Amino acid sequence: MSTETHLNFHVATANDASQIAQLIQAAFRAEDNGTAWTGPDVVLNRTFTLTPEEVLSTINNPEAEFLIAKTEDGTLVGAMAAIKRSDELARLAMLAVDQSYQRSGLGRRVLANAEDYVQKNWGVKKIGLNALNTRGLLLEWYERQGYVRTGEKSPFPVKAFRDIELPEDLHFVEMEKDLGG
């Protein structure tokens, strides 16, 4: 896919939940030909699960949306959750792109659509998101999209993954983007 491919952006409905869960799970589990993008937590990536019910909880939340991108033939190729935290702040999460479309600029388009949506529909002035500290290239990519590390960290529930050897210092790096206004 090129960056010129026509995409239709939509707010997801309950009928999209299963496909969104499959897309996100596949994207998070995707094996990279290096560890820099996904980080060294390969076993963690392979065990990531997301159920349609979990997606539905976002879709059914009046303060949240799942924003999706489909090709002209209706194939789901991108998704991102948006959650309104306040009149000033929205939170974005679970950016996912179909593996066959990765490294094509689609992630940037899905992110830009989500940013545009929360600004136009909710009037927020700031967007927050996070990524694991071990995902260096992803953190750098978000910085190139205008996000700034806040200095805040959120704990990763390492103890919930007892069967996986994870670094004790695994955490989420919090980032924000000021939309101005």
Side-chain angles (χ1 to χ4, degrees):
M1 183 187 106
S2 75
T3 56
E4 303 306 314
T5 299
H6 180 74
L7 295 174
N8 296 306
F9 290 97
H10 305 278
V11 172
T13 67
N15 293 335
D16 298 308
S18 184
Q19 281 186 312
I20 293 169
Q22 289 173 4
L23 173 74
I24 293 172
Q25 189 165 285
F28 278 53
R29 287 182 172 189
E31 292 205 25
D32 202 349
N33 54 5
T35 60
W37 185 258
T38 59
D41 313 309
V42 175
V43 176
L44 179 61
N45 299 347
R46 285 191 202 129
T47 61
F48 177 81
T49 58
L50 182 68
T51 67
E53 293 75 24
E54 290 169 311
V55 173
L56 273 172
S57 72
T58 299
I59 291 172
N60 292 331
N61 179 344
E63 297 293 320
E65 302 286 6
F66 246 109
L67 305 166
I68 57 176
K70 292 185 177 183
T71 60
E72 288 182 316
D73 68 0
T75 303
L76 179 66
V77 294
M80 185 163 220
I83 303 99
K84 184 177 181 184
R85 294 289 189 211
S86 71
D87 288 341
E88 299 289 319
L89 176 69
R91 187 108 177 132
L92 300 180
M94 291 188 272
L95 173 61
V97 172
D98 183 287
Q99 290 178 44
S100 60
Y101 292 90
Q102 290 180 358
R103 293 183 174 79
S104 68
L106 178 60
R108 187 176 299 113
R109 292 172 69 186
V110 171
L111 177 63
N113 176 70
E115 292 172 348
D116 187 57
Y117 181 90
V118 300
Q119 188 173 31
K120 285 182 179 174
N121 291 282
W122 297 340
V124 299
K125 308 279 188 269
K126 193 176 284 191
I127 298 173
L129 54 75
N130 65 27
L132 283 173
N133 64 307
T134 54
R135 307 240 164 105
L137 284 181
L138 180 59
L139 290 164
E140 291 171 13
W141 183 82
Y142 278 126
E143 288 174 329
R144 289 192 303 275
Q145 309 316 307
Y147 289 83
V148 177
R149 297 175 198 220
T150 66
E152 298 291 319
K153 299 174 185 178
S154 298
F156 183 85
V158 173
K159 292 180 179 168
F161 296 87
R162 292 186 183 119
D163 299 338
I164 302 172
E165 189 172 325
L166 295 171
E168 287 295 320
D169 68 338
L170 188 63
H171 61 272
F172 292 103
V173 174
E174 297 298 327
M175 304 182 87
E176 286 186 347
K177 183 175 185 176
D178 189 348
L179 300 175

